[in-house]
Amino acid sequence: MEIGVIGAGHVGLTTAAGLAAIGHQVCCADGPENVASLRRGEIPFFEPYLAEIVGKQLAASRLRFTTAGEAVRLGRALFICVGTPPLENGEADLSEVEQVAQVVAQEATSPRLVIQKSTVPVHTGRWLQQYLKQHGRADCEVASNPEFMREGSALEAFFHPDRIVVGAESPRAVSLLKAIYGPVISGQFTCPVHDTCSPRGAVPFVAMDLASAELVKLASNSFLATKISFINLMADLCEATGADVQRVAEAMGLDPRIGPAFLRPGIGFGGFCLPKDVAAFVKVAEKFGCDFSLLREVEKVNRERVDRFVNRIRIELGGLRARRIAAWGLAFKPNTDDLRNSPALAVVRNLVAEGAKVRAYDPQATERALAELPALQACADPYEAARNAEAILVLTDWDEFQRLDWRRLKECVSHPLVIDGRNVLSHDQLARHGFRYISIGRVSAGQVAAALTSVT
Ligand code: UGA
């Protein structure tokens, strides 16, 4: 099928590459500068496998980069994947969605299915439908198809989603979307990232009305954020009582009604999606007279994580001024170079502001971080960052931090102390190499004794 994808950010580019890989002819549109570099096969951000798949689909002429007008003229189905960043008041900025609506109204040559993939407030689809009607395009139907991609494993999420959610008012639109995603739904195709994907069965295809589909996305991200803030508070309680949050989370997660995912405590959730979507959800609820202040608490707990962690470092080092600190990880999560709302970067920024000397390493995000925080000393690997350090901080849970040579690290540092903000390292392994190890919500035997004394 001829498909237009408007917006070549994380969601748009992954969608375009994925749709091309399952056999569609895809025109992906963005601004002229982006289009020029994408045509050369240059991807403006890091996402595993994306550059390879884009390159392959370009070579096979199933994917091309173009203007919004051309994508609208050529695509029978049009995916809107433009940004909806937060305004000052937390509401989503829909100006780019409106610009796409204008292009559709002007350029569509015959009926189109306009599929909203950007994360938008409830009733945006209804508004879009109304807009097209008022501009003489009653023949264009609007559907919602929220995306649940995760940065760092976006293609895996495209080819093996947990579910495909579709909101539409007509059976025709539902059928068209089912046809578009046919190979993914059936699982009967050769996945281009097969090495990393575990093959699964058929994917649930869930069709509903427009408003419900629009709510699924914000509700899902807000619920995930709630789980994280809950487990972070649990970690505090575990520290106060001498319990181990890992064991608590593990046992809680065995209940299928709770599930094990998103129960990892740490320095908080970041990125472009969770913080923005929680704020947008609160606004949507307020607008419709529903009190979702529960989510205000979720945000508050999350905001406090960075301060709490920095305070812990301050206590351990007896102050921060002129302290030599190694920061491992800057991105908001592993397998990405995205620094937006990164708790890791926030920790580093606070340390630098208080006069600490921070040597930082991140496998992908160091360069971007330097642009934001020039006071940072960027290092080429974790060993270089650890040189002469009084403390090593783990701020992003990159896999490679679990495969380091601790004997070598012991020789690099000036004080063998690791403060793990992501709970990715092993206490036993570090203790064997003579490191003192502090993590989140897991206290050492000495601290348990102190906690018990303070209770009795
Ligand atoms: C999130 C959702 O997980 C996706 O389903 C959704 O499609 C996407 O937003 C979106 O709206 O586009 P993403 O922002 O890529 O995906 O990142 P997550 O994997 O959700 O992680 C968000 C933050 O939570 C990270 O900072 C991560 O370190 C943190 N996190 C995650 C925890 O602190 N604990 C956990 O147990 C899990």
Side-chain angles (χ1 to χ4, degrees), residues 147-151 217 221 224 228 262-264 268-270 273-274 277 332-333 422:
E147 58 80 24
F148 304 100
M149 277 167 203
R150 296 172 299 274
E151 284 187 32
K217 175 60 192 279
N221 274 1
L224 291 173
I228 299 171
F262 275 66
L263 287 180
R264 294 193 318 275
F269 61 81
C273 303
L274 258 50
D277 290 353
F332 85 96
K333 68 180 229 180
R422 294 293 182 180

Side-chain angles (χ1 to χ4, degrees), residues 37-104:
S37 49
L38 286 165
R39 280 181 180 157
R40 293 192 297 272
E42 291 162 18
I43 313 291
F45 49 83
F46 173 71
E47 176 63 43
Y49 308 103
L50 189 56
E52 291 93 309
I53 295 181
V54 166
K56 233 182 190 168
Q57 298 310 318
L58 278 172
S61 304
R62 273 194 296 267
L63 173 64
R64 56 201 197 84
F65 295 103
T66 180
T67 59
E70 196 179 4
V72 169
R73 283 193 296 279
L74 295 175
R76 182 173 152 207
L78 305 170
F79 283 88
I80 303 184
C81 301
V82 294
T84 52
L87 294 165
E88 289 262 300
N89 66 2
E91 280 180 35
D93 180 353
L94 297 178
S95 52
E96 285 193 48
V97 175
E98 188 167 350
Q99 281 167 25
V100 177
Q102 279 170 13
V103 180
V104 174

Side-chain angles (χ1 to χ4, degrees), residues 81-326:
C81 301
V82 294
T84 52
L87 294 165
E88 289 262 300
N89 66 2
E91 280 180 35
D93 180 353
L94 297 178
S95 52
E96 285 193 48
V97 175
E98 188 167 350
Q99 281 167 25
V100 177
Q102 279 170 13
V103 180
V104 174
Q106 282 161 14
E107 303 285 346
T109 46
S110 55
R112 296 282 182 271
L113 179 63
V114 180
I115 305 152
Q116 179 63 264
K117 223 178 198 336
S118 307
T119 302
V120 291
V122 62
H123 291 164
T124 302
R126 199 160 81 182
W127 165 82
L128 195 55
Q129 187 74 72
Q130 203 61 27
Y131 180 98
L132 291 171
K133 198 169 161 196
Q134 279 164 3
H135 290 77
R137 299 315 313 239
D139 56 347
C140 291
E141 186 174 349
V142 174
S144 164
N145 171 218
E147 58 80 24
F148 304 100
M149 277 167 203
R150 296 172 299 274
E151 284 187 32
S153 50
L155 284 155
E156 238 173 287
F158 180 89
F159 293 118
H160 299 289
D162 300 315
R163 75 290 207 196
I164 292 175
V165 174
V166 157
E169 305 301 338
S170 84
R172 210 175 54 92
V174 173
S175 304
L176 196 65
L177 274 151
K178 206 170 194 171
I180 291 171
Y181 283 113
V184 172
I185 296 168
S186 70
Q188 302 301 304
F189 69 105
T190 310
C191 169
V193 281
H194 206 69
D195 286 354
T196 59
C197 302
S198 45
R200 300 188 211 162
V203 172
F205 179 84
V206 198
M208 57 191 78
D209 60 280
L210 261 175
S212 302
E214 288 168 337
L215 278 178
V216 172
K217 175 60 192 279
L218 289 183
S220 299
N221 274 1
S222 298
F223 193 77
L224 291 173
T226 306
K227 273 186 108 174
I228 299 171
S229 280
F230 183 91
I231 204 66
N232 278 331
L233 283 181
M234 270 310 300
D236 297 349
L237 185 57
C238 286
E239 281 179 14
T241 55
D244 181 336
V245 71
Q246 300 288 113
R247 308 312 305 271
V248 175
E250 208 177 285
M252 282 172 67
L254 287 172
D255 182 334
R257 292 170 303 172
I258 298 174
F262 275 66
L263 287 180
R264 294 193 318 275
I267 53 176
F269 61 81
F272 189 57
C273 303
L274 258 50
K276 152 179 93 75
D277 290 353
V278 171
F281 197 50
V282 171
K283 279 285 157 195
V284 166
E286 262 172 20
K287 195 168 156 191
F288 290 89
C290 295
D291 180 5
F292 239 112
S293 48
L294 166 72
L295 290 178
R296 290 271 183 234
E297 282 301 309
V298 167
E299 287 178 314
K300 178 170 164 279
V301 171
N302 196 53
R303 268 196 307 275
E304 289 167 358
R305 296 318 290 175
V306 166
D307 289 346
R308 192 180 161 92
F309 189 72
V310 170
N311 203 34
R312 186 69 199 262
I313 305 163
R314 189 183 294 112
I315 291 167
E316 291 300 331
L317 296 183
L320 292 172
R321 175 151 297 281
R323 293 294 181 215
R324 300 178 307 276
I325 297 175

